[in-house]
Amino acid sequence: MILAFDTSGPVGSVAVAHEGDVLARGVLRVQTGHASGLVPMIDGVLREAGVDRDELTGLAVGEGPGSFTGVRVAAATAKGLSRALALPIWPVSSLAAAALAVEEGAVRYALFDARAERVYGACYGVGGARIQTLVPPHAGELRDVLDGDVPPGALFVGDASERHRAVIEGAGFPVLDSGPEVSLADGLIRYWAAQPEGFGPVEDPGTWEPEYVRASSAERLWG
């Protein structure tokens, strides 16, 4: 019985699943309300599914990259639940969750908006229950992605792909119109159910930190 949640982007999401089958889900549409809305949303999704917290066996959490505040909200919530309920944390790249949240394309290049012309990106090969990381999570300019080694047959997904659709399609790559209802929590559960090679829970939830991929503005200024 897995509880999954992600607040790395403008739309947060929560889902609970039994053996990979989603029982209930919820969406947080106001990004500024992720911090105050995540725990009530988790309670609501568990009630809808008829699942008690004591029945949970693990947490699948979007570990970023994305909004620094949103990533920290999910991480802090996961740590609190892990400690209170003695649950393991299974961190999943939010980019991988975006790639798994859709069902089209055998090669999916997920892009998140990082403001201006910058993006977070990663590419995954998806075949049946097998998931392969073709391009690991990275940060950079959109042009760097398009001029780089994009795996053959890649379909672009994610909010930055939709924002920069004209540029990406102009470079000869297709963009999936995923729509507003795509739930990264569903992608987290699909990734967890696939159990890719090397995937596992963190050894020490108390010291675990999410993957920001790049330094925050405050860290860059301090440096």
Side-chain angles (χ1 to χ4, degrees):
M1 193 76 73
I2 298 296
L3 174 66
F5 49 90
D6 184 285
T7 54
S8 62
V11 178
S13 55
V14 178
V16 62
H18 179 247
E19 296 184 352
D21 295 325
V22 175
L23 304 177
R25 59 174 60 85
V27 174
L28 292 162
R29 299 190 181 280
V30 180
Q31 188 170 13
T32 55
H34 288 356
S36 60
L38 180 56
V39 171
M41 176 65 73
I42 288 172
D43 287 339
V45 167
L46 291 176
R47 282 197 303 272
E48 181 181 345
V51 174
D52 189 87
R53 289 188 179 190
D54 292 338
E55 297 179 75
L56 296 174
T57 57
L59 306 169
V61 182
E63 65 171 348
S67 158
F68 284 88
T69 299
V71 171
R72 287 193 292 268
V73 166
T77 302
K79 288 185 177 186
L81 290 174
S82 173
R83 181 168 184 173
L85 303 175
L87 294 173
I89 295 175
W90 300 72
V92 179
S93 169
S94 299
L95 291 161
L100 271 291
V102 300
E103 299 183 1
E104 297 182 38
V107 180
R108 305 167 192 173
Y109 208 127
L111 294 180
F112 289 169
D113 186 19
R115 299 183 180 180
E117 297 300 310
R118 299 185 63 84
V119 296
Y120 298 111
C123 188
Y124 302 88
V126 182
R130 184 171 178 268
I131 300 170
Q132 182 181 7
T133 301
L134 303 178
V135 179
H138 58 88
E141 301 284 341
L142 174 63
R143 183 49 57 185
D144 295 335
V145 173
L146 300 180
D147 290 343
D149 294 326
V150 178
L155 175 66
F156 279 78
V157 303
D159 61 359
S161 295
E162 296 188 24
R163 177 185 175 190
H164 300 290
R165 175 185 295 273
V167 175
I168 296 171
E169 292 181 338
F173 302 108
V175 176
L176 177 65
D177 185 8
S178 55
E181 298 305 318
V182 169
S183 166
L184 294 196
D186 281 41
L188 295 175
I189 288 169
R190 290 171 185 169
Y191 192 94
W192 177 89
Q195 293 288 305
E197 184 177 355
F199 179 58
V202 298
E203 293 184 5
D204 183 358
T207 60
W208 165 71
E209 292 296 330
E211 293 291 339
Y212 297 107
V213 176
R214 67 183 179 91
S216 68
S217 299
E219 289 173 319
R220 292 196 298 272
L221 289 171
W222 179 263

